[in-house]
Amino acid sequence: MCEQSYSRFLTPGFKPFDPLWLARETERIVCDGDKRKYTAFYATGVYAGIATGYIVGCCLRCYYCWTGFERDFPEFFGHFYGPEEAMRRIEETARRYEVNKARISGGEPTLCRRHLLSLPEAFQETDLKLFILETNGILFGADRSYVRAIGRFERVHVRVSLKAGTPEGFTARTGAVPEAFELPFRAVEALLNEGVSFHVAAMTDPRIMPARERKALIERLTEIDAVVAANLEEEICDPYETTLVRMAAYGIDPAEFFGLRKKSSPDAGHPGGL
Ligand code: SF4
């Protein structure tokens, strides 16, 4: 019997989880046949304007994550949409805001495989230019056939977001066991070998990832492919409300992290301090 409990926020001294187990548990909440939970459909300025379906559920628990609290409490948020209905709403949003790209965001799109593999099919019926999948690479890395299935669709681009350059950094940042560290890199290899359009991003913000680890990440990517490594998109952590709460739960003072409060002196508050 599995003794893991459903992970929500990371707290100091957390017990690392198997992200494939968390993916399955989350799917029991957010998937229903080929339907998946969404909380909203809207357009945003990233990618020079993109219509977005905001999905529920992820298989990692990054402490700096900016997504809504539906990541942590998927039972309480969202409504189920089939792939055609979800794409119809995304397309309507694109038309209303005069943008020609689409994506699903806010969670991990590779959860609910039946739903995800039907979405690009529905997308092919639209006249939108590009469908972007933003993934943490865990499920793609665990199953090459999933990558192959995505590769048969045209006008689909994958963005893989790496979280760490070492197994220890991966666990500390995402909450997942260090054995899963390699999965996103395997996803990159599979995307490359299957000829899927993709690029790689990484949370290399120096407040989160030490310079040595960033170097290790870039070296690992270079081993896979020098061009992929050279086109790495480097992410910066922003103070979204949910990020602040998750950092505080993890034991990081967000005001200090974002430079709004000076680090206290080690002697502060000590009667004998200078
Ligand atoms: S940052 Fe991305 S991968 Fe990490 S928990 Fe949030 S949605 Fe999941």
Side-chain angles (χ1 to χ4, degrees), residues 58 60-62 64-65 67 71 107 136 163:
C58 187
L60 296 181
R61 293 292 181 263
C62 309
Y64 56 77
C65 179
T67 64
R71 185 205 76 172
N136 58 32
K163 313 300 177 194

Side-chain angles (χ1 to χ4, degrees), residues 139-161:
L139 297 187
F140 276 168
D143 184 353
R144 174 113 175 221
S145 73
Y146 200 177
V147 175
R148 194 171 303 129
I150 283 293
R152 68 190 161 89
F153 296 109
E154 291 175 1
R155 294 181 286 145
V156 173
H157 179 82
V158 177
R159 174 185 184 269
V160 185
S161 176

